[in-house]
Amino acid sequence: MKQNNIRRNEGFKSLVTEYFKDISKGLRIGLGILIMLGTGALVAVAVTGTMNTFSSGQVLDATAMNTNFNSLKTAIEGIPNQKAMRLIYENDITSATTSVNITGLDGDSDVSYDIVYKIISSSGLPINTLYLLRPNSDATSSNYGFMNISMTNGHSGTASALNNNTQQGFLLSSPGNGTSANSIHFGKAILLAKTGSIRTLTNVCGRYISNTDFTFQQTFGTWTGSGNIVNLQFVSDQSNGIGAGSRIEVWARR
């Protein structure tokens, strides 16, 4: 009889121990979340509610803890409403093409787009091949203006500037003084897309053929076309100039 009582007591003690372990684990997780949010380890989240602090040895108060978790709940539920750059389009080109169309956009809502690209030029392209970005597929050269600064290694070795409005789109990349065939063009452009003023694009890119033959370019462009931007057309001015292995990403402020 005595041994049965001992076994029951030990079993009860084990259950109580496990119970408090679970409570302790939950508190540690909750406090860990508080610490991470408080120190900015997660996405920047504004916690506007009451956040109680506790000292070593202090008895945790259920009301104070519930207040903290309610404040966290409100902050976490508000995360989707905070604007951030989100990947909305990506395309790994598997066969040569002349253009890539990105549709379903709303420039007035998104406000800005980041365009990240790596273009593998097809073989046999002429030296003057250009890669352009056209809002709403607009190819009217008089709607565009740009300033381009470039420096080419293995050719002139000096920087040059060009300012005109003859391109049928925002200039993303050009051959510089080198060639286009079998070259790699890579860069990032930022387009401010909201209507109400002239739309502008800033672009930094490079063209690579070898370690002794490459070009660096920085461009600033303007577009005076009208209407909300609902699509972007990534285009080569030469047929099938965007080769297999190219990649295009579009990030939107959402």
Side-chain angles (χ1 to χ4, degrees):
M1 184 71 173
K2 183 176 181 180
Q3 289 178 345
N4 289 337
N5 288 336
I6 292 174
R7 282 196 294 269
R8 282 197 294 271
N9 288 339
E10 289 178 346
F12 177 74
K13 184 188 295 183
S14 177
L15 289 174
V16 171
T17 300
E18 291 300 320
Y19 174 76
F20 280 104
K21 280 183 179 178
D22 290 340
I23 292 177
S24 176
K25 181 180 179 182
L27 289 176
R28 288 197 301 271
I29 293 173
L31 291 174
I33 293 174
L34 292 177
I35 293 170
M36 284 190 294
L37 286 176
T39 58
L42 294 179
V43 184
V45 178
V47 181
T48 57
T50 300
M51 296 298 295
N52 299 294
T53 57
F54 304 95
S55 304
S56 177
Q58 179 181 351
V59 176
L60 297 180
D61 177 73
T63 300
M65 286 296 295
N66 287 334
T67 298
N68 285 359
F69 283 117
N70 286 333
S71 297
L72 286 174
K73 178 177 179 292
T74 300
I76 292 171
E77 288 176 345
I79 290 175
N81 296 324
Q82 298 183 13
K83 298 292 186 180
M85 299 306 291
R86 303 176 187 274
L87 181 64
I88 63 168
Y89 177 89
E90 57 181 336
N91 190 350
D92 290 303
I93 310 299
T94 57
S95 59
T97 184
T98 304
S99 64
V100 175
N101 294 301
I102 301 126
T103 60
L105 305 180
D106 183 350
D108 284 347
S109 175
D110 293 329
V111 179
S112 65
Y113 297 107
D114 288 0
I115 300 98
V116 180
Y117 57 93
K118 179 181 180 181
I119 302 300
I120 309 296
S121 293
S122 302
S123 61
L125 293 178
I127 191 172
N128 59 344
T129 301
L130 302 177
Y131 294 99
L132 308 168
L133 185 71
R134 295 173 177 168
N136 296 339
S137 303
D138 181 14
T140 306
S141 60
S142 60
N143 284 341
Y144 297 93
F146 78 96
M147 169 65 77
N148 175 54
I149 300 175
S150 64
M151 185 171 184
T152 300
N153 185 35
H155 296 280
S156 63
T158 60
S160 61
L162 177 66
N163 185 6
N164 65 27
N165 62 339
T166 61
Q167 307 302 337
Q168 296 178 323
F170 285 119
L171 177 65
L172 293 181
S173 186
S174 63
N177 293 325
T179 185
S180 292
N182 300 316
S183 60
I184 301 174
H185 303 254
F186 47 94
K188 179 179 181 179
I190 300 174
L191 171 63
L192 295 179
K194 190 174 183 179
T195 57
S197 61
I198 295 174
R199 265 62 69 87
T200 58
L201 178 139
T202 300
N203 174 58
V204 175
C205 69
R207 176 201 55 81
Y208 176 89
I209 291 180
S210 70
N211 288 342
T212 58
D213 189 351
F214 54 89
T215 298
F216 170 82
Q217 292 180 312
Q218 184 166 4
T219 62
F220 171 76
T222 58
W223 181 62
T224 57
S226 60
N228 184 25
I229 294 177
V230 295
N231 80 282
L232 294 172
Q233 184 183 49
F234 201 109
V235 62
S236 167
D237 69 346
Q238 301 294 327
S239 179
N240 291 327
I242 303 172
S246 300
R247 177 175 174 84
I248 298 172
E249 297 179 5
V250 177
W251 297 70
R253 175 185 169 274
R254 294 181 179 176

